[in-house]
Amino acid sequence: MDEVHAPIMASTGLLPTGALLESLVHVAHELASMEKLPSVQVRNISTMIRRIKLLSSLFEEIQETNRQLPPSSVLCLTELFSVIRRVKALIQGCKDGSCLWGLIQTEILSNQFYVLVKEMGRALDILPLSLLNITTDTREQVELLHKQAKRVDLFIDPRELQRRQELLQVMANEKYSKSKGGFNIDSGEVKEILTCLGLRSPFEFEEEISKLEIERQKQAGTGGLIAVSNIDNLISLVSYSKSIIFNHVESCERTKKDHFKQRSLSISRNIHDTSSSSQTVVPNIPDEFRCPVSLDLMRDPVIVASGHTYDRNSIARWINSGHYTCPKSGQKLLHMALVPNYALKSLMQQWSEENHIPLVEDKASSFSNNSKGKLSENPIDHISAAKASVDAVKLTAEFLVGKLATGSVEIQRQAAYELRLLAKTSMDNRGVIAEAGAIPFLVTLLSSHDPRIQENAVTSLLNLSIYDNNKILIMAAGAVDSIIGVLESGKTMEARENAAAAIFSLSMKHDSKVAIGGRPRAIPALVGLLREGTPAGKRDAATALFNLAVYNANKAIVVVAGAVPVLVELLMDDKASITDDALSVLALLLGCSEGLEEIRKSIVLVPLLIDLLRFGSPKGKENSIALLLGLCKDGGEEVARRLLLNPRSIPSLQSLAADGSLRAGRKADALLRILDRCCSESHNPVG
């Protein structure tokens, strides 16, 4: 369970909360109070509204506390706002659009709801509930919602699939009868289908036709010829069904239809007019506003360790490609932190306004400015959801890195904790956090005397290392020795375990295997955790040792560090539950003479391996037979004799040769031949 921290207070100029919470509460209430829900996607819509009602309680409680929030909370709420807005748009689209076309598109719509639920779950990944002043009931409800969102499956209503099948059958019959020169459809069947979709009155039929015609225009504009043909058939079906069900067409209803079409077309024209914009001629860009790398106008100027300024994206690509020098001066960068150049950015902002050239960052600043004034009717609707999310992550990361660099112990503890959460959620976040310069500061915090700071720092580095480019940056920042220090004598067992996991992640690259294995304390520290860690820690240590032992020079170091007896002992420890991992390391250590000699010394290993041939997992059986075969080869007569004396060995090997995997079967056959030869030699000794 995460510990409770006093939250870092975010600058309202960077991370607004008042406008955001008001917007969240407003849009959640709009959805919760939506009247006359669509007749399609009923289950998905009702479930989604129930989720948002639950979140609404969270938003209201946070708003009532009237306290500033940690940056990761603001980021989570921003992403939730983006998701809920899209939920609202999707439900409104189902409500305003054609119900018949919605029925035809049921899989597509269901998948859109599914995607939004998964995004809601990912947003909640970074919500630090332990830091929020909310009631226990609300906390438990949000935790339950989070778990449900993470494991939710795509739901396609079988009743809607059945109705769609019936509708398609009617359309096929209608098309066939039209080809024969007339109509021949079952009016009772059609009426039942359309009634289930909410079409009961002549006006509702006319409105559905109008919606289909609008949908037809959309599909025609995107080149969907098959879709247009299907919509034409639906329009024909609804028109004919209306005439046979109601016997006449009332002129007043046609007037309403025309009004509805005119209103929709007017809205469409307004949207088109709003989205169009005139081209502008870019004036000459001052040299000081150009990035020395790309020579383009900088969007986000940052200062590197050498004191030179670059555009963030350009210098980040330079560093991530393995360069650790200043492109302009050639000077080696002492650290990889990228510090925003606010002075230059202010000048660029003034120049861009005078020349009517919008900077990318304008959208983010307008987001911030909304929090200072009165909330507009749609406070953040004009921001692209994806851009807003990227900007929010960037702002959050820069803010937290600043706190790592200059904050008190308490502030550093909280900042490291929030970076740990942020780095856990997505690959994009890991890249942004590294670009913000977090890695050198996190490495420094590994030597902190505060247990939580150390634990959060090493876990943040572990999460960041999942991104391949960050592996290079972490190694370049000199993190290995500090991570080994945490592995050896970390303040908490979780810190030690996560240090082992970080070594495993970093050693995925060959150069890192060499560098880490060359540290005299690294492998002994992993063996120490293998001996005294929790089951999870032992597994982390075993997988890290396996990765390092892939490099031949490290095998002997693992053996000398005393890993073999510990690994054999773990094969007998049911509670550890790492049998397969221990077997994998032992099989790998057979590849060096020191490992083979040490493994042959074990008296209890052979009976254990025979039992694992019978009761182990498929992977365990493969490694067990590999070990037995390796032990019996090249002077392993003593091990072969022990196998022959065990009554379970031959039947187990024969069973594996017949029913095991291809690889295990081949090795079992080879071992049976060795045992057969050994048995023959013992009966026919050379005189």
Side-chain angles (χ1 to χ4, degrees), residues 589-598:
L589 295 179
L590 275 179
C592 71
S593 57
E594 295 89 346
L596 179 59
E597 183 181 350
E598 189 67 25

Side-chain angles (χ1 to χ4, degrees), residues 41 44 101-114 154-157 160-161 164:
Q41 295 295 316
N44 280 325
W101 186 244
L103 189 65
I104 297 292
Q105 300 285 302
T106 186
E107 283 102 339
I108 294 174
L109 291 172
S110 298
N111 189 64
Q112 289 175 356
F113 279 103
Y114 169 74
L154 173 65
F155 175 77
I156 303 174
D157 195 330
E160 292 191 5
L161 290 175
R164 184 182 67 177

Side-chain angles (χ1 to χ4, degrees), residues 368-645:
S368 299
N369 292 337
N370 272 334
S371 68
K372 298 177 184 177
K374 186 177 179 181
L375 185 68
S376 60
E377 186 177 349
N378 296 302
I380 315 177
D381 282 352
H382 65 283
I383 297 180
S384 158
K387 180 66 176 67
S389 177
V390 171
D391 287 343
V393 173
K394 186 189 293 185
L395 288 169
T396 303
E398 289 175 356
F399 177 82
L400 293 173
V401 170
K403 296 303 178 185
L404 285 184
T406 61
S408 63
V409 170
E410 186 177 353
I411 294 294
Q412 286 179 328
R413 183 189 307 129
Q414 178 57 32
Y417 170 68
E418 295 201 44
L419 282 170
R420 169 183 178 172
L421 290 176
L422 195 58
K424 180 182 177 182
T425 54
S426 79
M427 206 63 80
D428 288 340
N429 286 2
R430 293 172 192 128
V432 170
I433 292 169
E435 287 176 16
I439 290 172
F441 297 110
L442 289 169
V443 171
T444 301
L445 292 179
L446 292 176
S447 57
S448 171
H449 296 293
D450 184 279
R452 295 306 171 201
I453 289 180
Q454 185 186 72
E455 181 184 308
N456 290 330
V458 75
T459 309
S460 297
L461 288 169
L462 164 62
N463 292 338
L464 289 172
S465 71
I466 296 170
Y467 183 47
D468 267 356
N469 284 347
N470 287 349
K471 289 179 171 67
I472 300 170
L473 296 177
I474 291 170
M475 294 296 292
V480 172
D481 289 326
S482 297
I483 293 174
I484 293 170
V486 175
L487 175 63
E488 282 181 314
S489 55
K491 307 293 183 186
T492 67
M493 183 55 74
E494 185 175 350
R496 294 181 64 193
E497 291 169 357
N498 288 341
I503 287 177
F504 165 75
S505 178
L506 292 171
S507 62
M508 297 295 286
K509 289 189 171 293
H510 176 75
D511 289 348
S512 298
K513 288 181 175 68
V514 177
I516 296 171
R519 299 306 204 276
R521 294 158 42 225
I523 289 174
L526 287 170
V527 174
L529 184 64
L530 191 67
R531 184 182 295 110
E532 53 195 49
T534 65
K538 290 176 179 179
R539 185 176 295 107
D540 288 331
T543 53
L545 284 170
F546 179 87
N547 245 14
L548 292 172
V550 168
Y551 178 58
N552 282 328
N554 288 337
K555 289 183 173 69
I557 302 173
V558 174
V559 175
V560 171
V564 171
V566 181
L567 290 165
V568 172
E569 189 177 337
L570 286 172
L571 295 179
M572 299 182 286
D573 187 354
D574 293 334
K575 293 180 181 178
S577 302
I578 63 164
T579 301
D580 286 351
D581 297 299
L583 284 170
S584 297
V585 180
L586 286 169
L588 202 56
L589 295 179
L590 275 179
C592 71
S593 57
E594 295 89 346
L596 179 59
E597 183 181 350
E598 189 67 25
I599 293 170
R600 278 179 175 164
K601 289 179 182 177
S602 175
I603 298 174
V604 298
L605 180 60
V606 171
L608 284 172
L609 294 176
I610 293 171
D611 286 341
L612 287 168
L613 289 179
R614 302 171 64 199
F615 305 116
S617 67
K619 181 182 176 183
K621 289 178 180 179
E622 284 192 6
N623 283 320
S624 296
I625 188 65
L627 277 162
L628 287 170
L629 183 60
L631 290 170
C632 290
K633 279 183 177 179
D634 301 327
E637 293 81 5
E638 176 60 30
V639 177
R641 280 194 289 272
R642 276 190 272 162
L643 274 174
L644 288 170
L645 290 173

Side-chain angles (χ1 to χ4, degrees), residues 205-510:
F205 273 71
E206 290 293 337
E207 194 171 43
E208 177 64 16
I209 292 170
S210 299
K211 292 176 180 179
L212 284 167
E213 288 175 348
I214 293 170
E215 187 61 44
R216 186 188 187 284
Q217 291 177 3
K218 290 183 193 173
Q219 295 296 333
T222 57
L225 298 178
I226 297 175
V228 169
S229 175
N230 287 333
I231 293 171
D232 284 339
N233 289 336
L234 286 172
I235 292 173
S236 173
L237 175 65
V238 177
S239 299
Y240 180 65
S241 301
K242 176 178 177 290
S243 66
I244 63 172
I245 293 172
F246 299 104
N247 297 321
H248 66 279
V249 179
E250 300 180 44
S251 59
C252 64
E253 305 301 338
R254 179 62 65 182
T255 302
K256 290 180 180 178
K257 171 205 164 187
D258 291 340
H259 172 71
F260 178 86
K261 283 175 62 180
Q262 188 63 39
R263 179 165 58 87
S264 300
L265 291 172
S266 174
I267 291 171
S268 178
R269 282 195 298 271
N270 288 340
I271 292 172
H272 176 75
D273 293 342
T274 303
S275 64
S276 63
S277 60
S278 59
Q279 293 184 339
T280 59
V281 179
V282 180
N284 290 329
I285 301 171
D287 289 342
E288 60 268 26
F289 295 166
R290 290 182 184 274
C291 174
V293 174
S294 67
L295 301 180
D296 291 329
L297 175 66
M298 287 188 282
R299 304 293 180 180
D300 186 7
V302 293
I303 305 169
V304 298
S306 65
H308 291 97
T309 296
Y310 299 92
D311 183 69
R312 181 184 293 278
N313 288 338
S314 298
I315 193 63
R317 282 195 296 269
W318 169 266
I319 294 172
N320 288 343
S321 64
H323 299 94
Y324 308 115
T325 57
C326 172
K328 196 169 184 179
S329 66
Q331 179 183 346
K332 184 176 180 179
L333 299 177
L334 298 178
H335 60 77
M336 303 300 153
L338 305 177
V339 181
N341 190 334
Y342 292 115
L344 181 59
K345 194 169 185 178
S346 176
L347 292 173
M348 290 173 60
Q349 184 76 31
Q350 182 180 347
W351 175 83
S352 68
E353 289 172 358
E354 290 172 356
N355 291 277
H356 308 292
I357 299 176
L359 293 176
V360 174
E361 296 299 318
D362 285 348
K363 291 184 177 181
S365 62
S366 65
F367 178 83
S368 299
N369 292 337
N370 272 334
S371 68
K372 298 177 184 177
K374 186 177 179 181
L375 185 68
S376 60
E377 186 177 349
N378 296 302
I380 315 177
D381 282 352
H382 65 283
I383 297 180
S384 158
K387 180 66 176 67
S389 177
V390 171
D391 287 343
V393 173
K394 186 189 293 185
L395 288 169
T396 303
E398 289 175 356
F399 177 82
L400 293 173
V401 170
K403 296 303 178 185
L404 285 184
T406 61
S408 63
V409 170
E410 186 177 353
I411 294 294
Q412 286 179 328
R413 183 189 307 129
Q414 178 57 32
Y417 170 68
E418 295 201 44
L419 282 170
R420 169 183 178 172
L421 290 176
L422 195 58
K424 180 182 177 182
T425 54
S426 79
M427 206 63 80
D428 288 340
N429 286 2
R430 293 172 192 128
V432 170
I433 292 169
E435 287 176 16
I439 290 172
F441 297 110
L442 289 169
V443 171
T444 301
L445 292 179
L446 292 176
S447 57
S448 171
H449 296 293
D450 184 279
R452 295 306 171 201
I453 289 180
Q454 185 186 72
E455 181 184 308
N456 290 330
V458 75
T459 309
S460 297
L461 288 169
L462 164 62
N463 292 338
L464 289 172
S465 71
I466 296 170
Y467 183 47
D468 267 356
N469 284 347
N470 287 349
K471 289 179 171 67
I472 300 170
L473 296 177
I474 291 170
M475 294 296 292
V480 172
D481 289 326
S482 297
I483 293 174
I484 293 170
V486 175
L487 175 63
E488 282 181 314
S489 55
K491 307 293 183 186
T492 67
M493 183 55 74
E494 185 175 350
R496 294 181 64 193
E497 291 169 357
N498 288 341
I503 287 177
F504 165 75
S505 178
L506 292 171
S507 62
M508 297 295 286
K509 289 189 171 293
H510 176 75

Side-chain angles (χ1 to χ4, degrees), residues 114-171:
Y114 169 74
V115 168
L116 287 170
V117 175
K118 299 305 283 186
E119 287 189 21
M120 186 181 291
R122 284 194 291 272
L124 290 171
D125 281 343
I126 58 173
L127 180 65
L129 283 170
S130 59
L131 307 181
L132 302 179
N133 187 20
I134 56 176
T135 62
T136 303
D137 285 346
T138 299
R139 189 190 314 278
E140 290 175 352
Q141 287 178 342
V142 173
E143 286 173 347
L144 179 60
L145 170 63
H146 183 203
K147 290 177 183 176
Q148 291 173 342
K150 296 294 284 184
R151 63 170 184 258
V152 71
D153 294 321
L154 173 65
F155 175 77
I156 303 174
D157 195 330
R159 292 172 301 179
E160 292 191 5
L161 290 175
Q162 177 64 29
R163 283 182 201 146
R164 184 182 67 177
Q165 186 59 38
E166 293 168 355
L167 177 63
L168 292 173
Q169 186 60 48
V170 169
M171 289 171 64

Side-chain angles (χ1 to χ4, degrees), residues 162-205:
Q162 177 64 29
R163 283 182 201 146
R164 184 182 67 177
Q165 186 59 38
E166 293 168 355
L167 177 63
L168 292 173
Q169 186 60 48
V170 169
M171 289 171 64
N173 292 341
E174 180 207 19
K175 188 174 181 180
Y176 174 77
S177 59
K178 283 171 70 178
S179 69
K180 296 295 184 181
F183 283 97
N184 181 26
I185 62 174
D186 185 339
S187 60
E189 183 182 5
V190 174
K191 183 177 181 180
E192 182 180 350
I193 294 171
L194 298 181
T195 300
C196 287
L197 293 172
L199 304 182
R200 298 181 178 85
S201 68
F203 173 67
E204 288 168 336
F205 273 71

